[in-house]
Amino acid sequence: QDLDGGSDGGVTVWGGGHVGVFDYVFITTPSIDPMQTWLSDNGFAVPADALPVLEHYVAEGFYFVAMKVDAEASGVAGEASTSTVLFRYPDTRRAYPLHMASIGAAPDTDVVLYVVADARVDASPYPTLQIDPADLQATVSGSTYAVNYDEVFDRVIADAGGAAFVTEYCDRVAELPRWSPSLSDVLFHFSGYLTRLRTRMSGDRMADDVVLVAAPAGGLVSRDFSFVLHVASRPSSGSITRRIRTSSS
């Protein structure tokens, strides 16, 4: 919606409100210093190591949503029981602010993107890769077996320099009820294709935002893999084939 902004110490406040246990405001600023002052004066915590990242987005002319927990609404004093917040806004560019996610990111942070579009998408400018089913193996131990999917996943990312995404799934949205009722509920009003992109990346690798672009190769990506199952207790019996579903549910 259109917002009428008012200036406050070099920061333009475009509006705000309350959702769940959060108080929020929409702001813009021409430089980082007044933004840092305004946020601090209004009770928003700003870690020092976040400033260079925020400055990047200030220079790009981004709007910011500043949020803080309303202690009274959160229930228990000193604790906050939060819930998911959904953002909707119009934009001509499909992007995810991955550089912003670098603030406070753990050494190995999983990022999972579900994207509904007219076709399969890639995570530009990062290499967007796939798991080679030939690399997957499983070993039986007793009545269970372990698959090396996570090991292969990590190796694919590492071989790309530690900054890449893996396409774990792409299919028509209409196919969702077969395996994910929860996603089906969310995407009931959508059509097209659902792509699941995942990475495991350290914060220092999150130098660029993800721009979601049409995948040049196109096509569907199955979440089913066939692999060779090595029966450790019977080494002379050879190998048998089983089918798994990846962690892309």
Side-chain angles (χ1 to χ4, degrees):
Q1 61 179 345
D2 294 329
L3 299 173
D4 295 323
S7 182
D8 183 359
V11 172
T12 301
V13 181
W14 296 93
H18 187 87
V19 58
V21 299
F22 296 104
D23 293 322
Y24 68 91
V25 290
F26 299 104
I27 61 174
T28 56
T29 180
S31 61
I32 189 66
D33 290 339
M35 179 179 179
Q36 181 183 9
T37 300
W38 188 93
L39 289 171
S40 179
D41 289 348
N42 286 274
F44 293 93
V46 184
D49 59 357
L51 295 178
V53 177
L54 295 176
E55 190 168 17
H56 163 81
Y57 289 100
V58 168
E60 293 288 327
F62 273 66
Y63 284 71
F64 293 84
V65 183
M67 308 185 75
K68 62 182 177 180
V69 173
D70 180 342
E72 294 183 2
S74 65
V76 182
E79 299 181 7
S81 177
T82 62
S83 58
T84 301
V85 177
L86 176 64
F87 293 88
R88 287 193 178 97
Y89 57 92
D91 202 338
T92 57
R93 185 184 72 155
R94 293 178 300 189
Y96 173 75
L98 184 65
H99 188 46
M100 179 71 81
S102 69
I103 299 174
D108 293 306
T109 297
D110 273 40
V111 178
V112 182
L113 303 178
Y114 289 94
V115 185
V116 177
D118 294 334
R120 192 176 112 203
V121 298
D122 282 352
S124 178
Y126 299 91
T128 305
L129 311 168
Q130 292 184 45
I131 297 293
D132 184 350
D135 293 332
L136 295 177
Q137 295 184 350
T139 302
V140 169
S141 177
S143 60
T144 63
Y145 60 84
V147 184
N148 66 337
Y149 183 88
D150 284 339
E151 177 185 332
V152 173
F153 179 92
D154 288 339
R155 185 167 68 242
V156 167
I157 299 294
D159 289 348
F165 278 78
V166 172
T167 303
E168 291 193 307
Y169 174 82
C170 179
D171 203 347
R172 297 172 183 85
V173 170
E175 297 297 316
L176 286 175
R178 294 189 304 112
W179 57 267
S180 181
S182 59
L183 278 178
S184 180
D185 291 342
V186 173
L187 301 172
F188 178 77
H189 297 289
F190 291 89
S191 61
Y193 293 81
L194 174 70
T195 304
R196 172 180 159 118
L197 301 165
R198 183 163 75 99
T199 187
R200 184 170 293 139
M201 196 183 299
S202 60
D204 61 342
R205 300 286 186 179
M206 300 176 183
D208 297 293
D209 289 341
V210 172
V211 179
L212 300 161
V213 299
L220 306 181
V221 177
S222 175
R223 60 194 297 272
D224 291 335
F225 285 120
S226 294
F227 61 88
V228 175
L229 181 61
H230 299 282
V231 185
S233 61
R234 292 179 293 167
S236 62
S237 65
S239 301
I240 56 178
T241 300
R242 291 289 185 268
R243 171 166 288 186
I244 63 167
R245 285 189 167 180
T246 72
S247 56
S248 56
S249 58

